[in-house]
Every structure is written in C-alpha cells, then in structure tokens.
Amino acid sequence: MTAAAHRAYASMDLETGVTGASPARLIVMLYEGALKSIFLAKAAMAQNDTPTKGSAISRAIAIIDEGLSPALDLKAGGEIASNLKLLYQYICSRLLYANLKNNVSSLDEAARLLTDLKSAWDALEQRDRPTAPALPAPEPQTRRAPVSFGKA
C-alpha cells in the first residue's frame, strides 16, 4: 500500500469512527491521538529527528488546545472543569518544554497525565455503552452412532 493510500485509508477509518461515536468516545479518541503524538515525539527525540519531534509535539498540543480544552463546559462543569482546563494548560507547557529542551521526562509526565485522564473517560464510555442483547444458548448436540464404512 502506498503512503498516500495508507493516509487516505486512515483518514476514512477515522471519519467512520467519528461519525457514529458517542461524546465520550470522541473524547477518548482525542486522548488517544494526543498520546500517539507524544509517543511519536519520544521516538523521534531518541532518533534526533527534530522535525518529526516538533511536528508530533505540535499535534499533541493542538489536540489539547483545539479539541479537549474547548470541549469543557465551564458553567456546567464548575470547579472540576476549571481545574481540568488548568491541567490541560500545564500539560501543554510540559510539551513545549520537552520540545525546547529535548526533555524526555516532560514527555513522560504529559503522557502519564493524559493516560490517567483517558482511563477515567474509558470507564465512562464503558458505562454508557449499550450492552448487546444476550444470544440464545446453543442447542445441545445429540451424539450419533459412528458411521462405519466397509466390513466390521
């Protein structure tokens, strides 16, 4: 598969996932995207690949600033939403520091914080996911006498 075809397929797969996703699933997808970008940045940092590192960190920051943070309802969420907004700002500052100083521990800290938050959203998503109807139990198999071919 060519790189262009792979990107088109990934884009289509993402669009399909977004179309039918619940609000909780969309938030989980944002966390997954940010974490994937952080892990890519960490790998690029280990390879001294500055352009890839910078691009991946910028993508993670954009996901937080343009996806996760605006999704907060500060009126309805009150103090929790306000604290979460501050935490997002802190995570972005750690990512910026990691980018400027090639600091792996700052990437790790950002990833750990996002992973903890994602875990909470995973639990919410699981709670809100409709359960599939129970399948009927399979009918018991009757044992048949072995078939004999030829002389006994």
Side-chain angles (χ1 to χ4, degrees):
M1 180 182 292
T2 68
H6 187 274
R7 282 191 303 275
Y9 178 79
S11 175
M12 182 183 73
D13 189 43
L14 177 63
E15 288 174 18
T16 302
V18 168
T19 301
S22 69
R25 179 69 194 135
L26 292 173
I27 298 296
V28 169
M29 290 171 74
L30 289 170
Y31 282 119
E32 289 170 349
L35 287 165
K36 182 178 177 182
S37 294
I38 292 170
F39 295 132
L40 177 61
K42 188 174 179 179
M45 197 180 284
Q47 298 290 322
N48 292 319
D49 182 352
T50 303
T52 301
K53 175 200 72 171
S55 175
I57 289 175
S58 293
R59 191 174 325 114
I61 291 171
I63 290 169
I64 295 166
D65 279 345
E66 299 168 18
L68 291 169
S69 194
L72 294 171
D73 185 342
L74 297 176
K75 284 186 181 181
E79 187 178 351
I80 293 173
S82 295
N83 288 340
L84 194 51
K85 186 173 183 85
L86 291 172
L87 184 57
Y88 288 154
Q89 290 170 350
Y90 175 76
I91 292 169
C92 287
S93 72
R94 300 309 295 154
L95 291 171
L96 284 171
Y97 182 82
N99 195 25
L100 292 172
K101 302 292 185 179
N102 282 326
N103 189 287
V104 174
S105 64
S106 293
L107 286 178
D108 290 340
E109 180 182 10
R112 188 181 68 254
L113 291 167
L114 288 171
T115 299
D116 291 345
L117 293 169
K118 179 186 168 297
S119 295
W121 279 96
D122 283 336
L124 285 172
E125 181 190 10
Q126 290 298 321
R127 184 196 72 188
D128 293 342
R129 182 177 292 163
T131 56
L135 298 174
E139 294 184 26
Q141 298 291 321
T142 57
R143 296 187 60 94
R144 297 182 183 168
V147 177
S148 175
F149 295 100
K151 295 182 181 180

